[in-house]
């Protein structure tokens, strides 16, 4: 029997690029302002208090407020709003400054318990409106005061279209599920016919997913070479890996001129044998604490020669064998190479890596970008600035750039609203975003927090991969252990296994209707389909693929008996 599968699909673009734009006029307040009173200042200053000097102004038909003659960074307008424990608050506003090229404006909430919550920040400009987006998770009930902050007291702050919208966790998860249905799955409609073009009514259809198109992987270290349990544990769960230290410079060249790739080579052999794709991590680390011990004492000329040798050595050795490179790790927080070799050092590393391995994606890789709104060094505005610098640097034409956000979360409720808004901002570049090193500090609620983070990442349409930095106890991963010394899952390990199962289509069985059709929603990936006609006593199996660029898939399955 022969099967022929005909596939057609529709292509959609789900990315909203509005966050890139600095507008002449602000948009209307999101959610109609939510719980904000007078969000667009149409009632002048009703509902708002002035911490300093401010006045309502009008441009064309648009009213806004200007805070001027500030003597304190946090002097601005303020409004008292109710907050409820356990709810997620999405915040937004449009802001600009009165003069200068740009200034960072921060939105903060002062709770009734005196705690300042950073909701978000944006680089505001003169003459046009920038969109400030963020939010927070409330652990207490009571009230809070909205404030806007800018360190430069010489500039006036212009504010409009303020919004604060509360969501219950049930509502937030409903949005996640809707996003998954739209971005991770496709509706598949199939009609089964015989070779003589007659309709196959009442045929039994079995669909089995063979592989997933969404990369969910895990960190891996050299202990995998010593433990059969670790090997089986990894290979049975993951098809993507990042070596934690084994490809780093301080591992490969502990002593100057003496290279050693033994561990990385052996680990790469294991991944090849098990069909596991590897991210190259990393070529350089910009933190001065994590250089080979002999590197900090080099002269600039010696360091320049050493970096060229290092880059050429590791990239030519593993080029074509890794799917991506973390070219310069944590380049927004640290400047070791820039301080030694000049401000373009990291950009030159990207160009040189691209010349040697043009198929791999070249990633930035930073911490606290999605985790901590108080870390301004790697916030979305600075991250975006670095991306623009790289995209405009000579020699990068054709280079595939990727956005890596590590995702090392502390032992507290993750700020999902801020995480989502940051991913929204970074998504405007249209580049692949990966969570590259997800972990959560030890805490009784560690597993719960981990699940919330992974679900939020998976639901975001711009996220194209997740690497969890954890493993079984034998791997020594800290703080995220996924199985204990007795080789039994921890609570966090149960979460990971649950999501691996949930983010794939379980084996499905259906029956064609009177017109020979059946329909189902499937995760993107590769499938086998088996058609059984019990009346005519035959069956046939063929394969097909469901891809993300096909939100609606129609297939005709012709069976020749």
């Amino acid at each position: 029997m022969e099967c022929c599968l005909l596939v057609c699909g529709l292509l959609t673009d789900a990315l909203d690029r509005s966050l890139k734009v600095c507008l002449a006029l602000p948009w209307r307040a999101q959610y109609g302002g939510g719980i904000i009173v007078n969000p667009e200042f149409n009632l002048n200053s009703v509902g708002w208090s002035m911490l300093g000097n401010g006045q309502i102004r009008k441009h064309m038909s648009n009213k806004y407020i200007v805070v001027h003659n500030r003597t304190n960074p946090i002097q601005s307008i303020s409004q008292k709003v109710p907050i409820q424990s356990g709810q997620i608050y999405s915040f937004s506003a449009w802001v600009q400054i009165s003069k200068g090229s740009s200034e960072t404006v921060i939105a903060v909430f002062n709770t009734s318990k005196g705690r300042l919550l950073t909701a978000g920040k944006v680089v505001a400009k003169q003459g046009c409106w920038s969109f400030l987006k963020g939010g927070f998770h409330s652990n207490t009930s009571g009230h809070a005061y909205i404030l806007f902050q800018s360190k430069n007291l010489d500039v006036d702050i212009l504010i409009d279209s303020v919004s604060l919208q509360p969501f219950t966790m049930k509502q937030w998860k409903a949005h996640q599920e809707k996003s998954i249905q739209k971005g991770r799955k496709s509706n598949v409609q199939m009609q089964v016919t015989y070779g003589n073009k007659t309709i196959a009514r009442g045929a039994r259809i079995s669909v089995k997913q063979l592989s997933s198109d969404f990369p969910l992987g895990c960190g891996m270290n050299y202990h995998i070479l010593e433990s059969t349990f670790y090997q089986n544990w990894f290979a049975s769960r993951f098809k993507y890996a990042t070596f934690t230290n084994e490809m780093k410079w301080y591992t490969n060249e502990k002593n100057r001129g003496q290279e050693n790739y033994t561990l990385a080579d052996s680990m790469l052999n294991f991944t090849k044998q098990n069909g596991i794709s590897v991210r190259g991590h990393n070529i350089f680390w910009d933190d001065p604490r994590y250089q080979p011990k002999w590197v900090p004492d080099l002269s600039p000329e010696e360091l320049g020669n050493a970096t060229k040798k290092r880059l050429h050595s590791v990239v030519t050795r593993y080029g074509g064998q890794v799917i991506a490179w973390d070219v310069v790790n944590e380049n927004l927080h640290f400047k070791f190479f820039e301080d030694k070799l000049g401000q373009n050092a990291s950009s030159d590393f990207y160009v040189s890596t691209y010349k040697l391995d043009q198929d791999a994606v070249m990633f930035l890789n930073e911490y606290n970008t999605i985790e901590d709104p108080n870390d301004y060094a790697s916030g979305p505005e600075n991250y975006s600035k670095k991306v623009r610098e790289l995209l405009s640097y000579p020699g990068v034409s054709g280079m595939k750039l990727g956005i890596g956000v590590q995702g090392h979360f502390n032992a507290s409720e993750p700020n999902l609203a801020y995480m989502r808004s940051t991913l929204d901002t970074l998504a405007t570049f249209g580049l692949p975003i990966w969570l590259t090193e997800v972990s959560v500090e030890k805490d009784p609620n560690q597993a719960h927090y981990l699940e919330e983070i992974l679900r939020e990442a998976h639901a975001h349409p711009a996220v194209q991969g997740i690497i969890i930095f954890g493993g079984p106890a034998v791997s020594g991963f800290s703080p995220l252990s996924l199985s204990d010394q007795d080789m039994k899952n921890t609570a966090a390990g149960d979460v990971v296994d649950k999501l691996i199962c949930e983010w794939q289509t379980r084996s499905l069985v259906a029956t064609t209707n009177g017109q020979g059709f059946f329909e189902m929603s499937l995760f993107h990936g590769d499938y086998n389909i088996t058609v059984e006609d019990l009346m005519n006593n035959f069956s046939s199996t063929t394969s097909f693929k469901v891809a993300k660029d096909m939100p609606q898939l129609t297939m005709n399955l012709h069976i020749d008996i």
Side-chain angles (χ1 to χ4, degrees):
M1 302 174 191
E2 296 179 356
C3 290
C4 174
L5 208 56
L6 304 178
V7 182
C8 62
L10 301 174
L11 181 64
T12 62
D13 180 8
L15 285 178
D16 179 5
R17 303 182 185 277
S18 63
L19 292 176
K20 269 188 173 181
V21 183
C22 191
L23 302 179
L25 290 173
W27 288 1
R28 301 293 300 272
Q30 282 195 311
Y31 310 109
I35 60 174
I36 297 295
V37 176
N38 190 23
E40 297 172 353
F41 304 100
N42 294 322
L43 302 176
N44 296 321
S45 61
V46 170
W48 296 93
S49 300
M50 299 288 181
L51 303 179
N53 301 299
Q55 64 183 99
I56 300 293
R57 292 183 185 172
K58 186 174 183 180
H59 174 63
M60 299 176 66
S61 60
N62 180 62
K63 282 187 176 182
Y64 59 93
I65 198 161
V66 180
V67 182
H68 56 84
N69 297 328
R70 296 181 305 118
T71 59
N72 187 295
I74 210 164
Q75 278 189 337
S76 65
I77 58 171
S78 179
Q79 185 170 135
K80 183 180 179 180
V81 293
I83 57 175
Q84 185 174 335
S85 179
Q87 292 199 335
I88 298 173
Y89 290 82
S90 179
F91 176 80
S92 63
W94 288 85
V95 298
Q96 66 169 289
I97 55 173
S98 59
K99 61 182 179 180
S101 58
S102 63
E103 293 291 339
T104 298
V105 176
I106 305 166
V108 296
F109 284 76
N110 189 2
T111 70
S112 54
K113 294 188 176 182
R115 183 185 175 197
L116 284 177
L117 302 174
T118 299
K121 47 194 177 294
V122 72
V123 176
K125 300 178 181 179
Q126 177 190 10
C128 62
W129 294 90
S130 297
F131 191 51
L132 191 164
K133 187 178 182 183
F136 62 93
H137 181 277
S138 179
N139 292 319
T140 59
S141 296
H143 64 267
Y145 292 90
I146 305 171
L147 301 166
F148 293 87
Q149 177 180 343
S150 178
K151 292 182 179 180
N152 187 347
L153 301 181
D154 292 331
V155 301
D156 301 339
I157 303 176
L158 289 65
I159 304 165
D160 199 2
S161 298
V162 185
S163 173
L164 184 66
Q165 177 65 37
F167 295 92
T168 64
M169 186 56 71
K170 182 178 180 180
Q171 291 170 328
W172 197 264
K173 288 181 177 180
H175 183 275
Q176 289 176 342
E177 183 58 32
K178 183 178 179 180
S179 181
I180 288 171
Q181 289 291 332
K182 183 178 181 180
R184 305 285 181 216
K185 304 175 81 173
S186 294
N187 291 321
V188 178
Q189 184 183 64
M190 179 176 291
Q191 184 181 38
V192 183
T193 57
Y194 299 121
N196 60 6
K197 297 185 179 180
T198 59
I199 294 170
R201 299 180 179 89
R204 186 174 186 267
I205 308 296
S206 301
V207 177
K208 181 179 181 181
Q209 186 168 11
L210 304 177
S211 63
S212 170
D213 277 1
F214 184 80
L216 177 63
C218 198
M220 179 190 293
N221 62 32
Y222 70 93
H223 290 295
I224 203 162
L225 304 174
E226 307 165 344
S227 169
T228 302
F229 168 75
Y230 188 6
Q231 293 171 11
N232 294 335
W233 178 91
F234 199 106
S236 65
R237 287 169 170 80
F238 303 109
K239 292 299 179 184
Y240 293 84
T242 297
F243 300 169
T244 54
N245 295 305
E246 290 76 12
M247 277 192 188
K248 290 175 180 173
W249 195 5
Y250 60 63
T251 299
N252 303 149
E253 195 176 0
K254 290 182 180 180
N255 299 309
R256 188 176 184 182
Q258 299 177 17
E259 292 183 338
N260 186 341
Y261 290 99
T262 302
L263 291 176
D265 286 349
S266 298
M267 291 169 66
L268 198 60
N269 285 336
F270 168 77
T271 60
K272 288 178 181 178
Q273 292 167 7
N274 290 276
I276 298 168
S277 299
V278 176
R279 301 182 69 258
H281 176 76
N282 50 54
I283 300 175
F284 297 110
W285 197 343
D286 232 346
D287 189 336
R289 297 172 296 177
Y290 298 108
Q291 307 302 325
K293 291 182 179 180
W294 52 272
V295 164
D297 293 331
L298 297 179
S299 68
E301 182 179 0
E302 290 173 323
L303 180 61
N305 291 332
T307 56
K308 290 176 183 177
K309 179 175 178 290
R310 156 63 180 173
L311 188 149
H312 186 272
S313 175
V314 71
V315 178
T316 56
R317 189 179 193 91
Y318 297 123
Q321 301 182 75
V322 298
I323 60 172
W325 288 105
D326 291 333
V327 180
V328 187
N329 204 40
E330 300 173 0
N331 180 229
L332 295 177
H333 282 94
F334 305 104
K335 303 293 180 185
F336 174 80
F337 294 104
E338 285 76 7
D339 290 343
K340 298 281 188 176
L341 302 175
Q343 63 179 3
N344 294 326
S346 61
S347 298
D348 288 335
F349 293 151
Y350 278 87
V351 172
S352 298
T353 305
Y354 169 56
K355 288 179 179 178
L356 294 173
D357 189 1
Q358 298 193 1
D359 292 330
V361 182
M362 308 295 157
F363 272 85
L364 293 86
N365 193 43
E366 271 298 340
Y367 65 90
N368 279 351
T369 303
I370 59 172
E371 305 98 305
D372 187 359
N374 295 302
D375 190 338
Y376 303 150
S378 61
E381 62 290 331
N382 278 347
Y383 205 124
S384 298
K385 180 181 178 182
K386 184 64 179 180
V387 170
R388 286 190 289 268
E389 288 175 359
L390 279 174
L391 291 176
S392 63
Y393 197 71
V396 302
S397 178
M399 183 180 78
K400 293 178 285 188
L401 187 64
I403 293 173
V405 289
Q406 293 179 8
H408 292 296
F409 287 81
N410 61 25
S412 62
E413 189 76 37
N415 187 343
L416 299 183
Y418 180 77
M419 178 178 171
R420 182 178 294 182
S421 68
T422 299
L423 292 172
D424 286 345
T425 299
L426 297 177
T428 61
F429 290 101
L431 301 173
I433 299 175
W434 280 54
L435 274 68
T436 55
E437 305 180 16
V438 177
S439 68
V440 180
E441 292 292 329
K442 288 188 180 298
D443 184 86
N445 293 314
Q446 182 190 52
H448 170 68
Y449 298 155
L450 177 66
E451 182 171 355
E452 288 190 339
I453 294 159
L454 294 177
R455 287 191 180 280
E456 184 64 32
H458 182 253
H460 199 285
V463 173
Q464 295 189 16
I466 301 173
I467 301 291
I468 301 165
F469 256 36
V474 67
S475 69
F477 265 99
S478 179
L480 187 59
S481 181
L482 301 179
S483 76
D484 59 24
Q485 295 290 350
D486 296 325
M487 304 180 185
K488 295 180 180 178
N489 266 10
T490 62
D494 283 340
V495 164
V496 172
D497 284 353
K498 177 177 68 173
L499 295 180
I500 289 173
C501 179
E502 184 179 319
W503 293 345
Q504 298 183 65
T505 302
R506 298 175 182 175
S507 295
L508 298 175
V509 176
T511 303
T512 58
N513 63 18
Q515 287 74 46
F517 281 100
F518 75 92
E519 188 171 353
M520 59 185 63
S521 179
L522 302 177
F523 279 103
H524 301 147
D526 296 303
Y527 289 83
N528 270 352
I529 179 170
T530 299
V531 180
E532 296 177 87
D533 189 327
L534 302 180
M535 294 290 294
N536 294 299
N537 193 30
F538 74 86
S539 67
S540 180
T541 299
T542 190
S543 60
F544 68 98
K545 184 174 184 64
V546 180
K548 66 179 180 180
D549 59 351
M550 299 175 178
Q552 179 66 47
L553 197 62
T554 301
M555 300 186 291
N556 295 317
L557 182 60
H558 301 292
I559 303 173
D560 292 327
I561 303 177

